[in-house]
Amino acid sequence: MMDLNMLRQFVVVARLEHLSRAAEELHLAQPSLSRTIARLEHELGTPLFDRANRLRLNPAGVLFRGYAERALGELDAGRRAVAEATEQGSGSVRLAAETFLALTEPIAAFKRDHPSVEIELQQMSAEEMPRRLRAQDIDFCVASQPVPGAGLESAMLLDEAVLVVTALGHPFAGRDSVSVGDLADEPFVIARKGHWQRRLLDRLFADTGQTPRIVCESDEAAAIQELIRTGLGIGFNPDFARRSVPDYPVAAIAVDHPECRRTLSLLWSAEAQLSPAAELMRTAITTWDWESERA
C-alpha cells in the first residue's frame, strides 16, 4: 500500500534518476530502494522509469512525480501551519534563488527583525523553479530572468543595467560604453547555459547573427570574477554587483543596447496558502529599498 515514505523515496529517485545516489542521499541500501520503487510501480500498474541504458523517468513517471511532489508539499505546509497555529514555533520560510548575492542584506535585515523565524535557503536553476513552487516544497524563488509557468505570481524587485566587466588593463577599460559589435571577437568568461548571464549573452549575439567566443564556463561566481580580473576574458555583471563591491579591481563599462538589463523578481505559487512567516518575508523583500546604495 502506498505510503509517505514510498512517495518521498520516489521523489528523490525521480530527481536524481540514479538509484545508488538516491540510496546514498536517503541513507538506504540500494536493494531496499529498488524494491520500494518496484512496489510503487506494481501498485500503479505501470513502470515509472525507462531502464534501457540508464534510469530515466518515462512519461508516466513525469506525470506521477508532479502529483507526488504536490502531495508532499501540501502535507509539509499543513505541518508547518499547525506548528505556527499552536505556537510550537515562530515559523519558517523556504527561499530559493539562482544566486544569493543580491539577497544577503534583505535576508540579514529580516532575520534581525524576526530572529525566531527559521530561514532555509536553496540555490536553484530558473528551469527548476516553477515545478518546485507548484509542488510547494519551497515558498519563494528569486530569479534574474523570466520564469514562465502557469499558476505562479510574481513581483518585480529590481530592473537594472548589465555592464561588461574587464581587467583594468583591457582596452575597453577607459571607455564610457561599448556596442555588441565591439564584443564580437572578445573572449568571454561566463556562467553555464541556463544562467541568466549566459542567456543574456546568447540573446544579444543572436541579434547580430554572430556566436560569442567563450573561453571558460563556470558555476562559480567568485572564480568567474577572478578570471576576468586576471585578464583571461571579459564578462557581465549587473550594476548591483558594482555597487555591492565598489573597490573590486575590474572595470565596468555600459553596453549600448536597450536589452542589456537584468530584472530581479520574487515568485510564489498562486495556489499556496502562505504561512504568517512567509507573508512577513514577502513583505520584507518586496518593500526593501533595492535602488539604494546599501542594497
Side-chain angles (χ1 to χ4, degrees):
M1 182 176 180
M2 194 180 305
D3 59 29
L4 291 179
N5 282 334
M6 183 180 288
L7 290 179
R8 291 190 178 100
Q9 291 175 27
F10 163 73
V11 166
V12 174
V13 176
R15 171 166 54 84
L16 297 176
E17 292 186 320
H18 198 286
L19 271 173
S20 62
R21 289 205 297 267
E24 182 178 353
E25 181 173 317
L26 291 163
H27 304 291
L28 295 171
Q30 183 174 329
S32 174
L33 182 58
S34 296
R35 288 193 295 270
T36 297
I37 299 301
R39 286 199 306 272
L40 178 60
E41 291 177 322
H42 177 75
E43 183 166 342
L44 292 171
T46 184
L48 300 173
F49 296 90
D50 291 329
R51 296 172 169 85
N53 297 316
R54 53 158 293 187
L55 196 70
R56 286 189 179 278
L57 276 176
N58 63 23
V62 171
L63 178 65
F64 186 68
R65 179 180 65 177
Y67 285 96
E69 287 178 333
R70 286 193 292 275
L72 292 172
E74 285 285 355
L75 287 170
D76 185 57
R79 177 189 61 77
R80 295 164 66 220
V82 168
E84 292 178 12
T86 57
E87 298 183 348
Q88 296 175 19
S90 297
S92 61
V93 185
R94 301 160 300 177
L95 176 66
E98 296 169 279
T99 172
F100 289 103
L101 177 62
L103 292 166
T104 54
E105 289 298 328
I107 289 174
F110 178 84
K111 193 64 178 175
R112 287 193 298 270
D113 292 339
H114 307 284
S116 59
V117 174
E118 180 181 343
I119 303 174
E120 178 186 328
L121 302 176
Q122 298 182 40
Q123 192 164 11
M124 185 177 297
S125 67
E127 289 86 353
E128 192 177 1
M129 288 178 177
R131 180 175 63 82
R132 299 288 297 277
L133 286 168
R134 285 193 290 267
Q136 296 186 40
D137 59 0
I138 52 175
D139 298 307
F140 301 110
C141 290
V142 175
S144 296
Q145 56 185 296
V147 178
L152 301 182
E153 294 187 9
S154 65
M156 190 183 76
L157 305 176
L158 177 67
D159 178 65
E160 62 176 345
V162 175
L163 310 172
V164 164
V165 184
T166 74
L168 293 176
H170 192 281
F172 289 167
R175 295 176 58 171
D176 293 328
S177 67
V178 294
S179 68
V180 175
D182 293 332
L183 308 178
D185 296 323
E186 293 292 325
F188 273 88
V189 180
I190 202 79
R192 295 184 188 275
K193 285 185 178 295
H195 192 278
W196 73 267
Q197 291 180 340
R198 178 61 182 276
R199 287 188 170 181
L200 173 62
L201 177 66
D202 292 341
R203 188 167 66 250
L204 292 176
F205 270 75
D207 291 342
T208 68
Q210 297 174 298
T211 301
R213 185 159 71 94
I214 297 172
V215 296
C216 178
E217 293 180 322
S218 175
D219 293 326
E220 299 180 68
I224 289 174
Q225 296 304 307
E226 278 298 287
L227 291 171
I228 291 171
R229 181 188 65 79
T230 59
L232 180 67
I234 68 174
F236 286 139
N237 269 351
D239 189 50
F240 176 92
R242 178 186 59 81
R243 292 184 287 118
S244 299
V245 192
D247 298 326
Y248 194 74
V250 292
I253 306 100
V255 179
D256 188 15
H257 194 289
E259 293 185 15
C260 195
R261 304 188 66 82
R262 173 181 78 150
T263 300
L264 196 68
S265 299
L266 180 72
L267 301 105
W268 62 93
S269 169
E271 298 180 359
Q273 292 185 338
L274 295 177
S275 68
E279 291 279 10
L280 288 172
M281 173 66 85
R282 179 169 62 180
T283 299
I285 291 180
T286 55
T287 59
W288 180 257
D289 186 4
W290 292 95
E291 299 290 346
S292 73
E293 287 299 318
R294 64 185 176 89

